Amino acid sequence: IASRSGTNNIALEGTMLISAFVGVVVSAFTQSAWIGFFGAVLAGFLISNILAYFILKLNSNSVISGIALNTFASGGTIFALYLLTGEKGASTSLASLKLPIGAILSGHHVLTYAALILVAVIWYMFKYTELGMHIRAVGESPDAAESVGIHVKRVKYTALSLSGILTGMAGAFLSMGYVGLFSAGMTAGRDRHAGLPALWLLPEPGQLLTVFRYPAAVHPDDAVSDHHHCIHRLLRHGGTQ
């Protein structure tokens, strides 16, 4: 979403990491998995707005700002974990909760179904809603969009905020999906497997869905290999069309 507005969200990994940490901590203290989930989503929203403030208000470089937030998240989550639990590796002492796994439709995680639905929702947003058309117009030509009355910075803020909300959901899935705890650096570069194919295959949500069909949180090494295979195959056969 952020890329379609012309502003790349380089801080995906840091946002996921902070959201994963916040989700575990909030669920542990409230003893509610869903409150923890919404805490993770809120954390993603706030981090993306901080990034938007630096890029759009202070006119900082988007790549440098994203790397700075990723670096802060990497060290900051470990420091906060140490302050709360005295541990530096994983939140094993926190009684955090996991989100429920659906008993219907093969027993996949509830966020798996949500992700499938969101593919269709976001496709519909880009194709048929005013907001989606504004995001596309701003990404393709900010000057032309502004000339017809579209508030370019507001649209970019909105796009980055939506990106942060979805990234917060991804962070919650990592720490509250199947694992049920936070570990240092648990994102392990998953932002690259989300961001790169999204840049190459923006007009093709079906192909994006094919790339993202593997649950990286369960078997990260296998999932990374699968992602590389899918990306290579898509680029070889249809990525240049």
Side-chain angles (χ1 to χ4, degrees):
I1 296 175
S3 298
R4 292 301 292 268
S5 72
T7 304
N8 293 326
N9 188 351
I10 305 298
L12 290 176
E13 181 164 11
T15 306
M16 287 174 65
L17 199 59
I18 293 174
S19 297
F21 175 77
V22 170
V24 164
V25 172
V26 172
S27 70
F29 281 96
T30 62
Q31 286 300 295
S32 170
W34 287 110
I35 294 178
F37 171 76
F38 287 116
V41 172
L42 179 60
F45 173 80
L46 293 176
I47 295 299
S48 65
N49 273 268
I50 292 173
L51 179 67
Y53 176 78
F54 279 106
I55 296 173
L56 302 177
K57 184 70 174 179
L58 303 182
N59 295 318
S60 66
N61 183 277
S62 62
V63 175
I64 295 175
S65 300
I67 292 173
L69 276 174
N70 289 338
T71 304
F72 168 77
S74 179
T77 50
I78 297 174
F79 180 67
L81 180 65
Y82 178 75
L83 290 179
L84 288 173
T85 66
E87 300 170 332
K88 295 183 180 179
S91 61
T92 53
S93 62
L94 288 177
S96 55
L97 304 177
K98 294 190 292 185
L99 291 168
I101 296 176
I104 308 173
L105 298 177
S106 303
H108 289 296
H109 197 278
V110 63
L111 290 183
T112 303
Y113 305 133
L116 293 173
I117 295 171
L118 283 171
V119 171
V121 170
I122 293 171
W123 172 83
Y124 181 87
M125 179 193 76
F126 277 130
K127 197 165 183 67
Y128 295 109
T129 69
E130 182 179 2
L131 173 61
M133 293 178 185
H134 283 183
I135 291 174
R136 290 166 58 194
V138 167
E140 292 173 8
S141 178
D143 293 334
E146 193 168 18
S147 70
V148 295
I150 298 175
H151 197 297
V152 172
K153 285 192 174 182
R154 184 182 301 163
V155 170
K156 289 189 174 186
Y157 261 109
T158 303
L160 281 168
S161 297
L162 291 174
S163 172
I165 289 172
L166 296 176
T167 309
M169 293 176 63
F173 178 82
L174 283 180
S175 62
M176 302 177 64
Y178 296 96
V179 182
L181 58 83
F182 173 84
S183 62
M186 69 187 305
T187 49
R190 287 183 177 86
D191 65 311
R192 293 189 292 275
H193 305 294
L196 291 178
L199 290 175
W200 293 328
L201 305 172
L202 280 175
E204 302 295 340
Q207 290 186 351
L208 278 175
L209 182 60
T210 302
V211 172
F212 300 141
R213 72 180 184 272
Y214 297 99
V218 184
H219 301 294
D221 294 333
D222 294 341
V224 168
S225 175
D226 288 335
H227 282 311
H228 285 164
H229 175 71
C230 285
I231 292 169
H232 174 74
R233 185 179 59 190
L234 287 170
L235 289 177
R236 185 177 60 187
H237 294 296
T240 57
Q241 295 179 355

